């Protein structure tokens, strides 16, 4: 059997759902489990809705009406028969949230976030499953919360692999003998039966969990790009598709911020040597990229850009050496504020890191300043070049001032800013 993952962009409208159905149909088999994200940009909207709800902002109701209207417009164009149970099914899902929104927000914000934001996936999968059934592809809708078991670290839940594997193998293999199975990405269930989520863009990770637990032949992530490219077309004019990629390079690229696949996706696949295909839902006949156990290095240098970087430099107050003990204090503070380090460099009397700018940074700097002297510089760019050479470095630093450069054998990272003239 194989696992497919379709993200929000692939099901952003009725045509997207029809296109998904065509792709699935072309395989002519039952043995496919399909993991789907929320439609279009609905997760962003639900995130804004939750924020409004928690802060008691009136805008909450307006946003909820928009979420409903968006889905019903898709349902209306997919289902001519208004007696199709999907109309009721989706209405009922929304009613559950309506009840919640009527109450004052008293539960913890992260818990509320997961209960509300998860309906994006609940509704998208219901619509797709109903549509596949309508066109004669027998489809079973499965509630991922019964299979992906997590702790209650809401908004970024951790998977209980043992329980997850057991439940998936117990039920889903039988379902797959009967029909196509459609389930949600991004969400899981806690031991108290509450909904949890795995972190933004976590549907790829969900798909990898299902693949691993089902020992699938392969996982295919259907995207709006032809495969894994050597740079994001948003930042680079000339990009090239990479046909074959090792798990190792894929982990490195996603770790440094390549957004084509979620960084947590590769490990579960690598452990079982399940190949991952990244293919275009716009050109399903094209080959895409195969990520597997190959030993070949990347054929071309790859570039990953991150903007909105803050370079934080940390010095001991008394000019003593940065020693292990200081590093452990520093790392504990980064951990406490949940700030991820994108690159770092330490010298005898300073330690510098580049991190994404966010509202957490000011608090982190405040905490660091209690023990250390701290300097920081905002509005920077970080470029990571995998399989770099001097040419590629020269190319990215045109018109830039370089603040930090860190090199390992295959990877070069440069923190820089626009040159002032
Ligand atoms: N819908 C979720 C998000 O947008 C999960 C995903 O798309 O992977 O973050
Ligand atoms: Mg998404």
């Amino acid at each position: 059997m194989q696992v497919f993952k379709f993200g929000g962009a692939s099901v952003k409208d009725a045509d997207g759902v029809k296109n998904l159905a065509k792709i699935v149909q072309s395989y002519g088999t039952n043995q496919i489990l399909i993991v789907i994200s929320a439609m279009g940009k609905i997760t962003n909207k639900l995130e804004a809705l939750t924020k409004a709800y928690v802060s008691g902002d009136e805008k909450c109701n307006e946003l909820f009406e928009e979420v409903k209207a968006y889905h019903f417009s898709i349902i209306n164009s997919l289902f001519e028969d208004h007696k199709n149970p999907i109309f009721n099914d989706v209405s009922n899902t929304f009613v559950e949230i309506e009840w919640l929104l009527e109450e004052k927000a008293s539960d913890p914000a992260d818990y509320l976030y997961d209960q509300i934001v998860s309906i994006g996936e609940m509704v998208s999968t219901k619509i797709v499953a109903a549509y596949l059934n309508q066109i004669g592809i027998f489809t079973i809708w499965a509630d991922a919360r019964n299979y992906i078991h997590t702790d209650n670290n809401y908004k970024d839940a951790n998977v209980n692999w043992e329980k997850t594997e057991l439940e998936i193998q117990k039920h889903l293999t039988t379902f797959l003998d009967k029909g196509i199975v459609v389930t949600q990405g991004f969400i899981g269930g806690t031991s108290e039966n509450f909904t949890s989520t795995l972190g933004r863009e976590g549907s790829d990770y969900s798909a990898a969990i299902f693949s691993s637990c089902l020992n699938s032949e392969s996982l295919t992530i259907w995207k709006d790009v032809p495969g894994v490219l050597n740079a994001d077309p948003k930042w680079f004019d000339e990009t090239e598709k990479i046909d074959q990629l090792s798990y190792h390079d894929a982990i490195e690229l996603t770790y440094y911020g390549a957004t084509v696949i979620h960084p947590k996706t590769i490990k579960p696949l690598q452990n079982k040597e399940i190949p991952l295909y990244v293919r275009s839902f716009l050109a399903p006949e094209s080959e895409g990229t195969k990520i597997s156990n190959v030993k070949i290095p990347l054929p071309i240098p790859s570039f990953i850009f991150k903007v909105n970087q803050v370079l934080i430099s940390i010095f001991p107050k008394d000019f003593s050496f940065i020693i292990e003990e200081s590093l452990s204090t520093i790392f504990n503070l980064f951990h406490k504020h949940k700030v991820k380090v994108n690159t770092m460099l330490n010298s005898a009397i300073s330690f510098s890191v580049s991190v994404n700018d966010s509202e957490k940074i000011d608090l982190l700097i405040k905490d660091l300043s209690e023990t250390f002297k701290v300097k920081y510089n905002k509005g920077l760019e970080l470029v990571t070049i995998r399989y770099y050479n001097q040419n590629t470095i020269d190319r990215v630093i045109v018109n830039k001032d370089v603040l930090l450069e860190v090199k390992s054998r295959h990877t070069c990272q440069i923190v820089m800013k626009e040159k002032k003239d």
Side-chain angles (χ1 to χ4, degrees), residues 257-274:
T259 51
V260 61
I261 21 183
H262 190 281
K264 282 185 174 170
T265 314
I266 310 292
K267 190 172 166 273
L269 301 175
Q270 181 186 28
N271 290 351
K272 294 213 170 161
E273 295 200 17
I274 298 169

Side-chain angles (χ1 to χ4, degrees), residues 5 7-8 37-38 40 43-44 121 185-186 199-204:
K5 183 262 173 173
S37 309
T43 307
N44 292 351
E121 270 71 12
F186 182 52
R200 284 303 306 264
E201 307 303 329
S203 295
D204 292 351

Side-chain angles (χ1 to χ4, degrees), residues 397-415:
I397 61 173
V398 175
N399 292 328
K400 309 278 179 185
D401 279 327
V402 173
L403 284 87
L404 187 81
E405 190 179 277
V406 183
K407 281 180 181 166
S408 66
R409 190 147 74 99
H410 293 310
T411 308
C412 173
Q413 292 194 293
I414 304 165
V415 180

